[in-house]
Amino acid sequence: MPKLTIDGTELEVAQGTSILQACEELGIEIPHFCYHSKLSVPANCRMCLVEMQGSPKPVASCAMPCADNMVIRTASELTHRTRQDVMEFLLINHPLDCPICDQGGECDLQDQAVGYGYDRGRYSEAKRAVKDKYMGPLIKPFMTRCIQCTRCIRFADEIAGVPELGLLGRSEDVEISTFVEKAIASELSGNLIDVCPVGALTSKPYAFAYRSWELKRTAGIDVMDAVGSNIRIDSRGNEVVRILPRLNEDVNEEWIADKSRFAYDGLKRQRLDRPYMRVDGSLQPVTWDRALEVAAAKLKATAPDRIAALAGDLVDVESVVALGDLMKSLGVANLDCRQDGAEFDTAHPAGYLFNSTIAGIEEADAILIVGGYLRWEAPLINARIRKRLLAGGLKVGVIGEHRDQTYPHKYLGAGVETLQAVASGNHEFCDILRSARKPMIIVSASIFAGGSGIALQALCRQAASMFNMVTDGWNGFNVVHTAAGRIGAVQAGFLPQAGGLGTRAICKAAADGRLDLVYLLGADEIEPSTLGKAFVIYQGHHGDQGAHRADLILPGAAYTEKTGTYVNTEGRVQVSRAAVFPPGEAKEDWKILRALSALAAKTLPYDSLGELRSRMAQIPAFRDGATPSPSGWGQFGTAGQIENRVFPAAMSNYYMTNTISRASVTMAKCTEEFLEFQAQPKTGTEG
Amino acid sequence: MSGKSFFAAEQPTSFVFTDENLRRAQAHIAKYPAGKQASAILPLFHIVQEQHDNWIPRAAMNYVADMLEMPRIKAYEVATFYSMFNMAPVGRHTIEVCTTTPCWLRGSADLVDACQRRLGITLNETTADRHFTLREVECLGACVNAPMIQIGEHYYEDLTRESMVGIIDDLVAGREPKPGSQTRKYGSMNDSGTTTLIDEARQLGVAVQETV
């Protein structure tokens, strides 16, 4: 533990702490550009130079580890002069286009030039200009502004695992460049915009839209996957204009995936902004009073065993609790929240949660990934595995599709057969799992959807038991879900009640005419034609599959428009706040259900969000607070015959997986760029 | 390079080593421990230049990167960093004139001017007949005989306008100009002959070249 003195304060820091980190511990700000706490340290911007006693030259504080008896001065004349000089060099070739630069107002270079630079430049020669590169539909590069900090290169290499950026040339000619004028093929590419300290990499969809200080910031939770990334929703008036990550070391660190960041333009398209009712085969606008009257009449007139309700992938806990309470009070047993028809045993929460927690991945030393394609299903969990792998000593085995995971792994096999071999100890990978100290299994919930889900769950449990994945203080049994609303709805008990039907059975019963009324709460991922002649009430925010089939549409709010609770795949309970209002006559979903319940003579006992929250607190999972509590270990799943099959990815297109992303133009462009037309040459006429 | 691509517009579509060069390349790769093959990239690029008219096409960078199991962009970084690797076709002879301070004080600007007049090209250009490329380089470490140039593997030192043009004339005529100092000076000897360590050399019985 080295002891050193910084600006007259003596302190002791952990071995390996850099001077810059030690200064931050003391609350002393050291200006820097190339240094980033999550990336490797190249020490090439020289902005963090500080004076060290005994050194003839100032030292780069980001790269210099603290040692005993060091005396550091961060406010001395030498340090001050050095910063001014470095800043002058950096600004030699930086254009003075701040007034038209999107980074203006939130630019490290701008801030530090004000804080540490000279008040004028002495350089009157020509500045260099760099040709802009093409970086795809998400990132707009202005390479003339680049100060060659190489953060983007390191992010692509280290975090995203796509080494496609490099620093070409030397001295005055150096340029950051992609491979061959191509887009960065990563689900995390949007983070390049955040790591860039200047305006060289900016957001293409947000280009020239607003100034950062004009925006209202709201703390939200992302619903594009079940990771529950913490986001900042920036809005102007009643429009969401961009989405940025919020720091949460336990969940998303400081990154978010591209779908979470860029799908927001889908919030403005295909919206349901007033109630509609199907009259003579076509949807006609109606008033709220009329719509609720019809819905209530239908609920009252239909026998409970001929009613079913399905909750979608984006629902918040509030609305799913309200719908569950309403349906249960009517005596409806046909409830389900698993639109993909997944079957898994919910007897014990350990059976369907990510028990080790996402941060827990960093402790694992062997990981068995079963099914799905983590890189698409939960990009940030995948990034965490890569981070752990780069730290050394981790072995990863994959059962499922053989695809690029962004990190080296052992491919074991395609499906059930391989899983059975591993779970019974007859596979070469078993030795690695056996000798591991903290082994982990990561199961994609998508494998539970192809039939025999409960037996597969038991098989995974068997593997976990066999390799001691659950011990005191360690639970390595993990399930990754893709739907943000899934865990919350499962824990709220929005599941088939005694004698009730599950998703598949509901669709079948509706098709066979055994159901008269189906209530869809944001459920759009089921084939509409399977609902037969049943009267369909659709409550949701987008005119997607569900609404097209609906006989009555009750317009609800999207995730940015309501204060709602979401439970991520770890079982972490998080609250997202409303940033804007729902469009037109649309309402917050729990309020719609509360109004409907009164008309259906089954008035829900809560009149405010506070009262609804009190009702939610009666459910243990939501009472225990924001952090996932260790759910322990228990019996779940039932062993049984499983037909051999392969485990496919849960989605065929990462960029379009729900109503919001399907309505997004940016996501459509990504689909075109990265998936559909990958092999075809550009024509040169595209925007 | 600003505003221009680092790479030649016209690129061959493929590149492979000849059998002999492949053997040489593998010998270089074998010098490094497993997993560290990327360290062999510089000698491999030199072999590429030998085989491919003294420049590295993009296909060859991809070929070398794949052979060394490293990301292609990292091979581009290395190739574009070093001035001894050419990214576009060059002339048969590349004249590299040192213009760093000692050579400049001794008249390197005259050499550049003489080359430009004799060849009818400016710096970083190649003659139409593809015989000569003219380039300005930083210090080549022969300041003692400044001003100097490098052509291929040879240094030509103590140059004047006249001797510079003479070297080009020789090359044009297919003659091989004499490398080293162009005044009759021996090695890095002082202009006025040997002046130091003469007595010590005599005592040891070493022959001393006393005059220029």
Side-chain angles (χ1 to χ4, degrees):
Chain A
M1 299 278 279
K3 243 188 220 161
L4 72 164
T5 311
I6 297 175
D7 291 349
T9 310
E10 194 165 297
L11 81 161
E12 196 171 345
V13 294
Q15 195 71 42
T17 308
S18 68
I19 296 174
L20 191 148
Q21 287 167 327
C23 289
E24 280 180 350
E25 276 178 35
L26 284 180
I28 299 169
E29 187 188 303
I30 304 290
H32 58 266
F33 297 108
C34 71
Y35 171 79
H36 189 284
S37 57
K38 300 273 185 242
L39 304 173
S40 62
V41 179
N44 58 8
C45 76
R46 315 312 287 174
M47 193 63 201
C48 68
L49 294 173
V50 293
E51 185 178 355
M52 181 170 85
Q53 200 172 64
S55 165
K57 294 192 288 182
V59 298
S61 62
C62 67
M64 176 69 83
C66 292
D68 270 327
N69 305 320
M70 271 183 177
V71 178
I72 304 296
R73 292 193 195 90
T74 71
S76 66
E77 180 58 27
L78 177 70
T79 308
H80 188 61
R81 274 294 308 273
T82 308
R83 286 174 183 166
Q84 286 188 321
D85 292 344
V86 170
M87 187 48 97
E88 192 174 10
F89 273 119
L90 284 172
L91 292 177
I92 278 181
N93 275 323
H94 191 81
L96 294 174
D97 62 350
C98 304
I100 56 148
C101 174
D102 267 338
Q103 193 84 354
E106 49 183 2
C107 174
D108 288 358
L109 191 66
Q110 208 177 30
D111 293 349
Q112 294 183 26
V114 171
Y116 306 100
Y118 285 115
D119 60 350
R120 66 206 65 195
R122 293 180 292 180
Y123 184 81
S124 55
E125 289 79 2
K127 286 172 183 263
R128 76 177 198 146
V130 180
K131 195 178 154 214
D132 283 339
K133 312 285 183 289
Y134 173 76
M135 286 196 179
L138 302 177
I139 300 176
K140 188 168 177 57
F142 290 88
M143 296 320 287
T144 302
R145 296 178 186 149
C146 176
I147 57 166
Q148 288 87 40
C149 71
T150 70
R151 274 188 190 178
C152 52
I153 299 179
R154 285 173 283 139
F155 179 86
D157 282 6
E158 294 162 19
I159 310 285
V162 285
E164 290 175 2
L165 285 170
L167 192 65
L168 300 189
R170 71 188 297 167
S171 70
E172 205 204 353
D173 295 329
V174 292
E175 286 179 22
I176 303 281
S177 185
T178 47
F179 214 44
V180 256
E181 296 281 301
K182 70 172 198 177
I184 316 282
S186 166
E187 301 70 39
L188 298 172
S189 68
N191 296 297
L192 291 171
I193 298 163
D194 289 346
V195 299
C196 181
V198 298
L201 302 178
T202 57
S203 167
K204 208 174 226 177
Y206 175 69
F208 308 124
Y210 292 102
R211 285 308 199 176
S212 62
W213 59 83
E214 298 175 320
L215 307 177
K216 188 183 85 173
R217 301 166 174 199
T218 311
I221 299 297
D222 172 53
V223 298
M224 295 296 144
D225 56 34
V227 172
S229 297
N230 291 205
I231 53 170
R232 191 181 103 193
I233 304 160
D234 280 2
S235 55
R236 167 88 173 158
N238 203 38
E239 185 189 9
V240 175
V241 295
R242 67 172 176 180
I243 286 175
L244 297 174
R246 262 189 305 140
L247 180 72
N248 188 336
E249 294 288 356
D250 293 332
V251 184
N252 53 314
E253 301 184 85
E254 55 192 275
W255 321 121
I256 50 171
D258 286 354
K259 191 167 36 175
S260 313
R261 185 187 298 265
F262 292 112
Y264 63 85
D265 65 329
L267 292 167
K268 286 179 276 187
R269 295 190 160 76
Q270 295 282 331
R271 290 303 301 267
L272 301 171
D273 56 357
R274 59 201 304 187
Y276 286 90
M277 196 163 75
R278 196 171 291 278
V279 180
D280 301 331
S282 73
L283 287 166
Q284 306 288 340
V286 289
T287 61
W288 265 113
D289 288 345
R290 175 87 184 113
L292 289 172
E293 228 169 68
V294 172
K298 280 281 177 190
L299 283 174
K300 280 198 281 194
T302 314
D305 62 335
R306 296 185 71 85
I307 301 179
L310 288 168
D313 289 350
L314 308 180
V315 294
D316 52 321
V317 175
E318 281 80 357
S319 43
V320 85
V321 164
L323 181 62
D325 285 352
L326 174 60
M327 288 296 161
K328 287 170 197 169
S329 69
L330 289 165
V332 176
N334 307 322
L335 309 177
D336 208 344
C337 59
R338 297 165 296 191
Q339 294 182 80
D340 54 358
E343 295 164 348
F344 50 87
D345 191 350
T346 55
H348 196 287
Y352 58 85
L353 293 182
F354 202 96
N355 295 299
S356 73
T357 73
I358 293 169
I361 291 171
E362 295 187 29
E363 292 173 40
D365 51 0
I367 298 180
L368 175 66
I369 297 173
V370 181
Y373 185 36
L374 264 189
R375 191 173 162 185
W376 282 4
E377 287 170 23
L380 290 162
I381 292 181
N382 204 50
R384 211 49 105 108
I385 297 174
R386 180 175 163 78
K387 181 184 180 191
R388 171 67 192 86
L389 203 109
L390 291 186
L394 174 68
K395 294 220 165 53
V396 182
V398 174
I399 300 174
E401 287 187 0
H402 199 181
R403 302 171 79 159
D404 178 11
Q405 309 276 353
T406 73
Y407 44 79
H409 60 273
K410 219 174 157 58
Y411 181 68
L412 310 180
V416 176
E417 227 167 44
T418 317
L419 179 61
Q420 280 167 332
V422 174
S424 55
N426 300 321
H427 196 281
E428 52 179 328
F429 195 72
C430 295
D431 294 336
I432 290 167
L433 290 171
R434 247 180 235 117
S435 58
R437 212 171 37 83
K438 288 190 170 178
M440 174 184 280
I441 183 169
I442 298 180
V443 184
S444 165
S446 63
I447 72 165
F448 301 142
S452 332
I454 290 174
L456 273 167
Q457 199 186 8
L459 190 61
C460 294
R461 188 185 185 284
Q462 183 191 326
S465 305
M466 162 160 272
F467 302 109
N468 284 323
M469 290 186 187
V470 185
T471 56
D472 279 347
W474 177 251
N475 189 336
F477 184 86
N478 294 322
V479 181
V480 172
H481 294 265
T482 50
R486 185 72 49 89
I487 301 293
V490 166
Q491 294 187 330
F494 204 88
L495 295 163
Q497 305 297 299
L501 308 173
T503 305
R504 277 162 201 276
I506 287 171
C507 292
K508 181 142 198 331
D512 295 349
R514 282 180 285 122
L515 290 178
D516 295 331
L517 179 59
V518 179
Y519 198 104
L520 301 178
L521 179 63
D524 287 272
E525 315 302 321
I526 48 167
E527 186 52 46
S529 60
T530 58
L531 295 177
K533 290 198 170 63
F535 187 85
V536 175
I537 301 175
Y538 178 82
Q539 178 183 342
H541 43 78
H542 271 77
D544 207 303
Q545 292 201 75
H548 286 304
R549 168 63 185 82
D551 298 293
L552 183 67
I553 293 174
L554 305 175
Y559 71 115
T560 51
E561 295 149 10
K562 58 186 168 192
T563 296
T565 306
Y566 298 92
V567 186
N568 81 348
T569 194
E570 301 167 288
R572 187 184 299 274
V573 183
Q574 303 184 106
V575 174
S576 181
R577 311 225 168 259
V580 294
F581 294 106
E585 297 173 29
K587 303 262 183 266
E588 281 188 47
D589 293 271
W590 78 268
K591 287 181 182 166
I592 298 172
L593 290 158
R594 167 65 183 73
L596 178 59
S597 71
L599 291 174
K602 294 283 180 191
T603 310
L604 292 169
Y606 22 85
D607 296 333
S608 68
L609 193 60
E611 287 174 27
L612 173 52
R613 290 264 167 82
S614 307
R615 154 73 186 104
M616 281 161 57
Q618 291 165 9
I619 301 165
F622 308 131
R623 189 174 50 220
D624 297 339
T627 49
S629 48
S631 44
W633 193 234
Q635 244 345 295
F636 54 81
T638 315
Q641 273 298 290
I642 310 166
E643 205 177 306
N644 186 32
R645 61 185 168 88
V646 296
F647 298 142
M651 52 193 82
S652 55
N653 175 2
Y654 164 74
Y655 297 99
M656 290 187 167
T657 52
N658 53 44
T659 52
I660 299 170
S661 54
R662 276 196 292 270
S664 159
V665 172
T666 312
M667 291 295 104
K669 285 181 186 162
C670 286
T671 305
E672 186 181 320
E673 176 83 31
F674 297 111
L675 302 167
E676 286 175 7
F677 304 109
Q678 230 161 20
Q680 290 177 19
K682 291 268 163 197
T683 57
T685 52
E686 57 281 301
Chain B
M1 265 326 143
S2 303
K4 280 197 293 184
S5 170
F6 281 97
F7 308 111
E10 282 180 29
Q11 296 272 349
T13 50
S14 69
F15 178 93
V16 283
F17 278 140
T18 59
D19 290 348
E20 167 59 19
N21 282 342
L22 186 61
R23 266 192 297 280
R24 288 169 65 200
Q26 279 160 349
H28 280 295
I29 294 170
K31 290 178 192 168
Y32 301 97
K36 308 280 182 195
Q37 313 90 313
S39 301
I41 191 163
L42 291 180
L44 262 58
F45 275 160
H46 279 295
I47 297 174
V48 170
Q49 289 211 139
E50 275 178 42
Q51 185 181 321
H52 195 270
D53 285 342
N54 216 23
W55 71 285
I56 308 177
R58 193 130 95 189
M61 290 181 231
N62 294 344
Y63 175 73
V64 169
D66 295 349
M67 180 179 279
L68 300 176
E69 292 170 34
M70 62 196 287
R72 290 177 171 188
I73 186 78
K74 302 293 165 203
Y76 295 2
E77 287 183 329
V78 173
T80 54
F81 180 81
Y82 290 101
S83 60
M84 47 286 252
F85 297 133
N86 298 314
M87 296 295 103
V90 289
R92 196 188 313 151
H93 308 290
T94 300
I95 301 175
E96 296 173 296
V97 186
C98 171
T99 55
T100 308
T101 320
C103 283
W104 176 74
L105 283 168
R106 299 279 293 161
S108 66
D110 285 345
L111 301 189
V112 172
D113 184 57
C115 291
Q116 288 180 341
R117 283 168 191 271
R118 173 65 183 83
L119 299 171
I121 52 174
T122 57
L123 285 172
N124 296 320
E125 286 185 350
T126 301
T127 54
D129 60 6
R130 294 224 171 262
H131 279 213
F132 292 94
T133 296
L134 183 61
R135 195 175 285 158
E136 170 184 55
V137 294
E138 299 306 327
C139 184
L140 291 170
C143 317
V144 67
N145 286 349
M148 58 80 66
I149 62 163
Q150 181 177 11
I151 301 175
E153 292 180 344
H154 294 297
Y155 278 9
Y156 302 87
E157 302 152 5
D158 290 320
L159 291 162
T160 59
R161 270 183 183 274
E162 292 69 37
S163 51
M164 182 69 244
V165 172
I167 289 171
I168 296 175
D169 289 340
D170 279 351
L171 292 169
V172 169
R175 291 189 294 270
E176 268 189 39
K178 180 178 84 83
S181 173
Q182 301 299 304
T183 58
R184 289 174 299 112
K185 202 159 94 179
Y186 180 75
S188 52
M189 179 191 279
N190 192 311
D191 261 349
S192 49
T194 309
T195 54
T196 53
L197 299 177
I198 297 171
D199 294 340
E200 290 81 350
R202 283 197 182 121
Q203 277 169 21
L204 291 167
V206 177
V208 175
Q209 186 159 359
E210 292 195 33
T211 55
V212 179

